[in-house]
Amino acid sequence: MYIKIGKKRHSIYDVGFNTFNGIVMVFLMLVTLYPFLNTLAISFNEGIDAVRGGIHIWPREFSLQNYRAVFVGGTIYRAFFVSVARTVLAAVLNVFLTAMLAYCLSRKEYVLNRFITVAFVLTMYFNAGLIPNYQLIRSLNLLNNFWVYVLPAMISAFNVIVVRTYIQTIPESLIESAKLDGAGDFKIFMRIIFPLTKPALAVVGMFTIIYQWNNWFDTLLYAPSKQSLSTLQYELQKLLASSFQQNTSARATSSLSAELASDMVTPVSIQAAITVVAMVPVLCVYPVLQRYFIAGLNVGGVKE
Amino acid sequence: MQESNLNTEVRSSMVVRKTNRKKMWDTIKNQKQLMFMSVPLLIYIFIFNYYPLYGWLMAFQNYRPRRDATMFNQEWVGLDNFKFLFTQHDFGRVLRNTIGMSVINLILSFVTAIVLALLLNEIKNLFVKKTIQTISYLPYFISWVIAATIVSQALSTDNGIINNMLVSLRIIDEPILWLAEGKYFWGIFGIANVWKQVGFNAIIYLGAMASIDPNLYEAAEIDGAGRMKKMLHITLPGIKSTFVVLLIMNVAHLLSTGGGAGGFEFQYLLGRGSNIAWSETIDVFTLRYGIRMGNFSLATAAGMFKTLVSISLVFLVNGLAKKLGENRLI
């Protein structure tokens, strides 16, 4: 009897709690999704009409003008390919080099193991800073050079540690028996370890892709006026900056604005279209890698 | 007798030394593939992470970036740059902004992530739970440029959704220039950070909650504990150690960026003349003085200060964690 009353009282609490929880979740979904849907709607809306405002999640006057302007102009088209190139190249290099070093550091008998581990782990705690790094890039002749996107970020200590931890869970006997068959370390790495490390490497690959694709700061710093090296994110950054300038009634100097002046598009609508283009690849990658990513994240987190 | 003993000892030690040397050569021979795979990366990390440290010498010079400039034909000025930094009005403000926004971000992101994880954990329908979770960390994957664009459009006086809503709800009479006024900047930063990171931050707590022993909940139910009681007395204590670890890690990075890359990017992207008094952080300051004004020495001094404080915080907090760990064991 007592339990029954207890149960009944709890169920009232439960109803209350569930309602509250539901409201919070609906609010969260609205706040999260609205900006994306709104941007999407504006990008498909006729540019001058969009300036009137009042567009929420559906375009009022449907038009592909903005996307045409984005891809016909050449600037964005090119920037898109620079973004893709740097992302793909860096992701491949990162995954391979991280796995290779992580394998070496997972070998307990390796004489340089400790030294290399310490050298890498220390880099997680300090950074020479903006100006010394700039000097380095300049002395390596990487200013205004495509490789400035890839070379400085080829491997990260954190990823190496995560992947090494993962490799340590692979049974030692696999490696022992391969050694007895006469396989060298490189062969063992390529044939056995690399395929078995896929879940952890998927995480490394994904974070590299996100980092590379979203980076605009290295362009601003190391190749600000070299149009052929501009990336999508950097073009967006220039548009954002020039939207401030317009507010203070100064003229925008972005080469893009000159290109746009001839079209029937406005900065806001073109910004929306580029934003959508800049979001699509990342949004395509993340549900695919999500499965691996949560597993890998947990592995790295628990063992550290 | 003694002599021969000594002899054999010497001889055997020589043998040992010989075999040791032989062993060393053998290991090098055996491990040459490992070395071939890892030493180039060691050299790489020395070039890109250790070598630039010598640029810190600039902080003690009056460095002029002339064409023939090297690190050794400059005027040495001792600690003048640091003295200038700390007596200058700007830098105090910059330090205040950096720490202020870091602390706001730290508190907000912890509270919201834990609350979201608790609420998500209470959703029993797995499909709904997964869908909400997937959507909630969508903003984490977009760049700060896009996030800043969204923020600046939402706050715009020209049909921005925030102003429109507040005006139509009669909370304000006319649109406010949110980003033009410094006093709103920290708040906007905190909210934008939560919007972008909360879903992602909640993942790790959800993981911790999933590993709590279900028997605890069952036992509590038999004792008549309701949902709230179970959350307060089982779920929250269950994620305590995760919370402490994350807190320590975040405190250590207080100066570096204030929780992820957002500590610099947001302030740079949305900072402008009218809000600079409240938006400029150490990193933005370094960029302004170093790259735009060409004052390499002052910028390096500021960057160096930041790194040194961060490293000391890391050590301090690590030491503290060890002590706390011992306490928790007792």
Side-chain angles (χ1 to χ4, degrees):
Chain A
M1 191 124 138
Y2 170 77
I3 296 170
K4 221 176 185 177
I5 297 165
K7 258 189 179 167
K8 218 175 186 179
R9 244 181 46 216
H10 286 166
S11 77
I12 293 166
Y13 278 125
D14 271 3
V15 170
F17 182 84
N18 284 337
T19 316
F20 169 74
N21 201 349
I23 291 170
V24 172
M25 290 302 152
V26 168
F27 176 74
L28 179 76
M29 293 298 98
L30 278 179
V31 172
T32 308
L33 285 178
Y34 179 80
F36 294 104
L37 297 175
N38 184 241
T39 309
L40 199 64
I42 291 175
S43 77
F44 279 110
N45 199 77
E46 213 265 309
I48 291 162
D49 176 65
V51 178
R52 277 172 42 216
I55 295 172
H56 292 291
I57 60 169
W58 204 253
R60 191 165 45 213
E61 283 188 34
F62 187 82
S63 151
L64 289 174
Q65 196 78 37
N66 301 318
Y67 287 96
R68 204 171 298 140
V70 163
F71 282 107
V72 170
T75 305
I76 301 300
Y77 195 62
R78 202 182 168 112
F80 181 79
F81 280 105
V82 175
S83 284
V84 170
R86 67 175 286 182
T87 304
V88 170
L89 203 60
V92 170
L93 276 172
N94 256 285
V95 165
F96 184 75
L97 295 178
T98 305
M100 196 164 77
L101 188 66
Y103 170 71
C104 295
L105 298 186
S106 74
R107 299 294 88 220
K108 286 196 189 68
E109 74 275 10
Y110 184 31
V111 279
L112 294 177
N113 189 334
R114 222 182 134 62
F115 179 69
I116 297 179
T117 307
V118 170
F120 268 79
V121 167
L122 279 180
T123 64
M124 298 202 289
Y125 295 103
F126 72 88
N127 184 348
L130 188 80
I131 303 297
N133 282 330
Y134 183 83
Q135 298 274 57
L136 174 77
I137 297 295
R138 197 171 60 177
S139 61
L140 290 175
N141 264 327
L142 285 174
L143 288 182
N144 294 318
N145 183 331
F146 174 77
W147 289 97
V148 78
Y149 296 143
V150 181
L151 283 184
M154 279 202 307
I155 193 165
S156 104
F158 182 76
N159 289 341
V160 172
I161 302 301
V162 170
V163 176
R164 186 196 63 171
T165 311
Y166 191 87
I167 292 177
Q168 281 165 348
T169 64
I170 295 172
E172 192 67 28
S173 55
L174 273 177
I175 297 164
E176 302 275 312
S177 61
K179 275 206 172 134
L180 285 180
D181 289 344
D185 279 303
F186 189 69
K187 203 169 188 181
I188 294 174
F189 163 66
M190 287 301 281
R191 296 276 171 82
I192 301 172
I193 301 300
F194 195 69
L196 285 176
T197 320
K198 257 195 279 171
L201 293 180
V203 180
V204 172
M206 196 192 68
F207 278 111
T208 312
I209 288 173
I210 302 289
Y211 171 83
Q212 288 285 336
W213 183 263
N214 284 346
N215 203 336
W216 51 276
F217 187 59
D218 49 10
T219 319
L220 178 86
L221 209 54
Y222 302 131
S225 44
K226 181 120 174 165
Q227 197 56 49
S228 62
L229 289 183
S230 184
T231 59
L232 270 186
Q233 304 289 344
Y234 185 56
E235 287 302 322
L236 277 173
Q237 192 267 329
K238 282 197 282 188
L239 273 177
L240 181 66
S242 70
S243 76
F244 291 173
Q245 281 169 7
Q246 275 166 3
N247 283 349
T248 56
S249 75
R251 286 202 59 80
T253 46
S254 155
S255 67
L256 194 59
S257 7
E259 228 170 66
L260 299 181
S262 56
D263 276 305
M264 294 293 284
V265 291
T266 60
V268 172
S269 62
I270 208 80
Q271 200 173 20
I274 303 174
T275 303
V276 172
V277 175
M279 268 183 329
V280 164
V282 167
L283 297 190
C284 290
V285 169
Y286 106 103
V288 179
L289 286 171
Q290 182 172 224
R291 187 165 51 104
Y292 286 125
F293 144 67
I294 296 200
L297 204 70
N298 286 342
V299 168
V302 169
K303 289 278 168 67
E304 240 190 310
Chain B
M1 217 17 197
Q2 266 190 338
E3 211 172 87
S4 72
N5 251 350
L6 214 71
N7 264 343
T8 47
E9 246 172 56
V10 169
R11 219 174 286 149
S12 68
S13 79
M14 271 167 73
V15 169
V16 166
R17 212 177 296 154
K18 216 172 187 180
T19 50
N20 267 349
R21 200 178 296 159
K22 196 173 177 305
K23 253 188 199 161
M24 209 177 83
W25 275 113
D26 277 354
T27 40
I28 289 177
K29 224 175 175 180
N30 282 338
Q31 300 183 345
K32 72 172 185 265
Q33 288 200 12
L34 284 175
M35 288 178 184
F36 194 70
M37 287 156 78
S38 58
V39 171
L41 289 166
L42 185 67
I43 296 170
Y44 166 82
I45 205 107
F46 268 99
I47 294 174
F48 277 93
N49 291 70
Y50 289 90
Y51 173 72
L53 284 179
Y54 100 111
W56 280 7
L57 289 178
M58 277 187 287
F60 308 100
Q61 299 174 330
N62 183 8
Y63 188 88
R64 293 181 190 286
R66 298 179 303 243
R67 179 163 291 182
D68 64 332
T70 68
M71 214 61 84
F72 303 102
N73 56 13
Q74 305 291 336
E75 182 196 349
W76 292 87
V77 295
L79 290 174
D80 279 7
N81 287 311
F82 290 95
K83 268 182 215 149
F84 180 70
L85 204 60
F86 288 108
T87 49
Q88 195 203 21
H89 173 64
D90 264 9
F91 194 70
R93 211 177 60 186
V94 163
L95 213 54
R96 177 203 65 190
N97 292 343
T98 311
I99 295 171
M101 278 187 264
S102 275
V103 170
I104 284 182
N105 183 34
L106 190 73
I107 295 170
L108 271 184
S109 63
F110 267 98
V111 172
T112 52
I114 290 173
V115 169
L116 178 62
L118 280 175
L119 292 180
L120 275 172
N121 199 40
E122 291 298 318
I123 296 175
K124 294 292 172 264
N125 185 327
L126 266 183
F127 175 75
V128 173
K129 183 175 164 182
K130 250 196 120 62
T131 311
I132 293 178
Q133 216 200 330
T134 305
I135 293 173
S136 75
Y137 54 77
L138 198 147
Y140 179 82
F141 293 95
I142 61 164
S143 69
W144 268 107
V145 176
I146 295 177
T149 306
I150 286 171
V151 168
S152 99
Q153 273 166 7
L155 296 175
S156 153
T157 47
D158 186 23
N159 282 315
I161 183 156
I162 301 291
N163 274 323
N164 278 0
M165 255 165 55
L166 291 179
V167 168
S168 63
L169 289 173
R170 304 274 163 91
I171 295 172
I172 54 174
D173 292 330
E174 49 187 66
I176 295 176
L177 277 163
W178 295 100
L179 283 168
E181 277 184 67
K183 61 181 171 187
Y184 301 125
F185 197 88
W186 290 15
I188 296 168
F189 167 75
I191 293 169
N193 239 322
V194 167
W195 179 78
K196 197 169 183 303
Q197 320 271 20
V198 67
F200 190 80
N201 290 342
I203 292 177
I204 201 152
Y205 291 113
L206 277 169
M209 287 174 191
S211 62
I212 296 174
D213 184 2
N215 288 333
L216 287 175
Y217 291 106
E218 266 169 44
E221 259 164 53
I222 290 167
D223 289 344
R227 216 170 192 168
M228 284 313 255
K229 279 221 165 111
K230 279 189 283 179
M231 262 162 68
L232 278 178
H233 298 293
I234 301 174
T235 315
L236 276 182
I239 59 170
K240 196 177 128 198
S241 58
T242 310
F243 169 77
V244 172
V245 170
L246 287 182
L247 185 71
I248 287 165
M249 276 163 57
N250 279 295
V251 168
H253 291 119
L254 207 60
L255 267 204
S256 51
T257 39
F264 165 74
E265 295 185 57
F266 185 86
Q267 287 86 347
Y268 178 80
L269 290 165
L270 291 178
R272 41 184 118 159
S274 51
N275 61 26
I276 194 168
W278 294 91
S279 69
E280 194 174 41
T281 55
I282 296 180
D283 288 321
V284 181
F285 177 88
T286 310
L287 188 70
R288 181 157 71 95
Y289 272 87
I291 302 292
R292 258 185 253 155
M293 300 188 196
N295 192 340
F296 281 24
S297 289
L298 193 66
T300 307
M304 197 175 150
F305 167 75
K306 192 193 85 174
T307 305
L308 292 180
V309 172
S310 298
I311 293 176
S312 348
L313 275 176
V314 168
F315 279 112
L316 190 84
V317 160
N318 267 347
L320 221 68
K322 258 183 204 158
K323 263 194 186 154
L324 275 179
E326 279 165 16
N327 282 347
R328 252 185 290 149
L329 280 180
I330 296 163

